[in-house]
Amino acid sequence: MNTIRQACRELGTFDLSGCTIYTSCEPCPMCLGAIYWAHIDRIYYGNTRKDARDINFADDFIYEELDRPLSNRTVPIIPLLRDETLESFRLWSKKEDKTEY
C-alpha cells in the first residue's frame, strides 16, 4: 500500500497502468484491492498466501471469507437504505467533472 501510494505521488497520478509490482508474498486482499484500483499491470511475488498462513498470517482467512455468501460471513454484512443510497450513485454518474477510476 505504501509503495503504491509513493509511486502515485511520484508519478502524479493514481493510474499506474504500465507498472509492475514486486512483493515478498502474494498480496493480501487489501493490497490486491489497491493494486487493482491503481491499474498495475503485473504482480511478481515470492511466497504464497498458504505460506503466509503457515507462519500465522491470517490473510488466507480473508480470501476464504470473500468466497462465502454475504449471509455466511463471520462479520455480518447488512444492506441498508439501498434506494436512498442509489441516489448518490445516480448523481455521480451524471457528474460531468468527475475523476474516472
Side-chain angles (χ1 to χ4, degrees):
M1 299 281 298
N2 288 329
T3 300
I4 292 169
R5 188 177 295 118
Q6 182 179 349
C8 290
R9 190 172 31 253
E10 288 186 21
L11 296 173
T13 180
F14 60 83
D15 185 344
L16 300 180
S17 296
C19 292
T20 299
I21 193 164
Y22 295 83
T23 179
S24 60
C25 189
E26 185 177 349
C28 74
M30 181 177 63
C31 292
L32 187 59
I35 289 166
Y36 279 108
W37 274 91
H39 307 286
I40 293 173
D41 289 349
R42 184 166 290 134
I43 304 164
Y44 289 98
Y45 68 94
N47 297 294
T48 68
R49 66 188 211 215
K50 307 286 192 242
D51 297 331
R53 182 190 60 208
D54 291 346
I55 62 166
N56 296 320
F57 286 133
D59 297 345
D60 201 44
F61 164 76
I62 300 169
Y63 280 104
E64 292 166 1
E65 281 284 294
L66 292 173
D67 282 338
R68 294 180 182 159
L70 293 179
S71 60
N72 292 345
R73 293 194 184 166
T74 302
V75 175
I77 300 177
I78 305 155
L80 179 67
L81 302 172
R82 182 167 183 263
D83 291 337
E84 290 85 344
T85 57
L86 274 174
E87 181 60 21
S88 63
F89 277 22
R90 286 187 196 101
L91 291 171
W92 171 257
S93 69
K94 293 177 185 176
K95 187 172 169 50
E96 293 188 22
D97 63 340
K98 63 187 168 204
T99 301
E100 295 286 347
Y101 288 97

